[in-house]
Every structure is written in structure tokens, then in C-alpha cells.
């Protein structure tokens, strides 16, 4: 496991020329060959420059909080994606109180995406709201390290496991 971290806030990807983005994409493609899974965190919202990087992804993990601004940002991201990439969307509710809140968000938001953007999103899990997340951030440590039994850490682990299974289990071929 390795982490390549970009600058927070006005990230390096947002303020790049087409040539620089191409070089970054090529470097990421080379790095991906050394790993089973490569995560690229593109942050909240969407910039035109960022869309260039989504096509590197097998899945687009769309993290959505049950708040109007988060839902609007997520909708804008999907709307900005080329049609072919919309099939890679995995809706991931974050900071929900319980499974039923996550299921409602997935059902309602997924319905909007199907109706207006012809997207067929899936979901592989959710992350519950947990005060331990703020504490881990203040400690500048991963939640799985400092609070491995917390509900958020357990949910993130389950989500990661489902993503791995989803990516490495062959899908049936339909004729």
C-alpha cells in the first residue's frame, strides 16, 4: 500500500495545462501497473480538468452526504461525465445515521440519475456518521489505525472489501 497525496484545496490537477495532465495520466497509468487497485481522490465538486482523470477509473466512487449541497455537487459530477463513464458510478452514502437513510439516499438519488441522465448507478455500501472521524482527522491518522472498531472504520473496511470483490470477480457475459 502506498499513498501519493496531492495538495489540499486547490489541487495540482485543477491548475494544469493539457500537456501536464497528459503527463500525470501517463505516470498514474505506469504506477497502476504495480498495484491491484489505484484510488484517485478527485475531491468534492468537479472541474473540467478533473474529468480527464475519471477515464482512468474502473469505478467512479461518488461519495454523497444526505445534504442538498452534497447531492447537487454529486449530480453535477455525473452530468459532467461523458455518457460512457456514467456506467461506472458507484453511489456511496457518507455520514448517514443508519442503513435505512443510506438506502433512501441511494434509491432517490439513483432514480434521479436514471431519469434525467440515463445513468445506472450501483452501490456497494455506505459510511455511518461517527465522531471518531473528527478525532482521527485532528490526530492526522487514518481512522482504521486509531479507531479500528469505530462504526466508520468498520463501514469503510466493508466498503473496501466489496470494491475489491466487485473488481476482481468476473462478470457474466450477456449476449
Amino acid at each position: 500500500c502506498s499513498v501519493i497525496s496531492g495538495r489540499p484545496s486547490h489541487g495540482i490537477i485543477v491548475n494544469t495545462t493539457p500537456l501536464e495532465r497528459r503527463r500525470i495520466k501517463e505516470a498514474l497509468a505506469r504506477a497502476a501497473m504495480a498495484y491491484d487497485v489505484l484510488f484517485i481522490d478527485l475531491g468534492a465538486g468537479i472541474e473540467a480538468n478533473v474529468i480527464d482523470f475519471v477515464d482512468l477509473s474502473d469505478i467512479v466512487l461518488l461519495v454523497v452526504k444526505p445534504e442538498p449541497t452534497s447531492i447537487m455537487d454529486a449530480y453535477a459530477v455525473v452530468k459532467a461525465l461523458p455518457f460512457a463513464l456514467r456506467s461506472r458510478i458507484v453511489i456511496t452514502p457518507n455520514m448517514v445515521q443508519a442503513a435505512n437513510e443510506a438506502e433512501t439516499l441511494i434509491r432517490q438519488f439513483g432514480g434521479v440519475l436514471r431519469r434525467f441522465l440515463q445513468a445506472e448507478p450501483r452501490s456497494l455500501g455506505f459510511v455511518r456518521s461517527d465522531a471518531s472521524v473528527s478525532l482521527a482527522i485532528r490526530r492526522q491518522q487514518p481512522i482504521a489505525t486509531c479507531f479500528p472498531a469505530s462504526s466508520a472504520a468498520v463501514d469503510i473496511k466493508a466498503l473496501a472489501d466489496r470494491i475489491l470483490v466487485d473488481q476482481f470477480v468476473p462478470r457474466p457475459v450477456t449476449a
Side-chain angles (χ1 to χ4, degrees), residues 75-133:
Y75 183 84
V77 167
V78 178
K79 190 174 179 180
L81 292 176
F83 185 78
L85 295 178
R86 294 178 185 174
S87 64
R88 301 179 192 177
I89 296 169
V90 174
I91 300 173
T92 308
N94 187 26
M95 298 179 71
V96 295
Q97 297 303 313
N100 63 339
E101 184 179 24
E103 291 162 6
T104 299
L105 179 59
I106 292 164
R107 186 178 63 256
Q108 291 176 344
F109 185 61
V112 168
L113 295 183
R114 279 188 285 283
R115 181 173 177 195
F116 295 108
L117 299 178
Q118 293 72 50
E120 282 296 329
R122 305 176 290 133
S123 183
L124 295 172
F126 59 90
V127 180
R128 288 172 283 175
S129 184
D130 184 340
S132 299
V133 173

Side-chain angles (χ1 to χ4, degrees), residues 3 13 17 65 85 96 108 128 160 163:
V3 175
I13 291 174
T17 67
K65 294 191 294 187
L85 295 178
V96 295
Q108 291 176 344
R128 288 172 283 175
I163 289 169

Side-chain angles (χ1 to χ4, degrees), residues 24-45:
I24 293 169
K25 284 179 70 171
E26 289 169 356
L28 287 171
R30 284 191 306 275
M33 294 172 64
Y35 296 94
D36 291 330
V37 178
L38 176 68
F39 284 95
I40 305 171
D41 183 354
L42 298 175

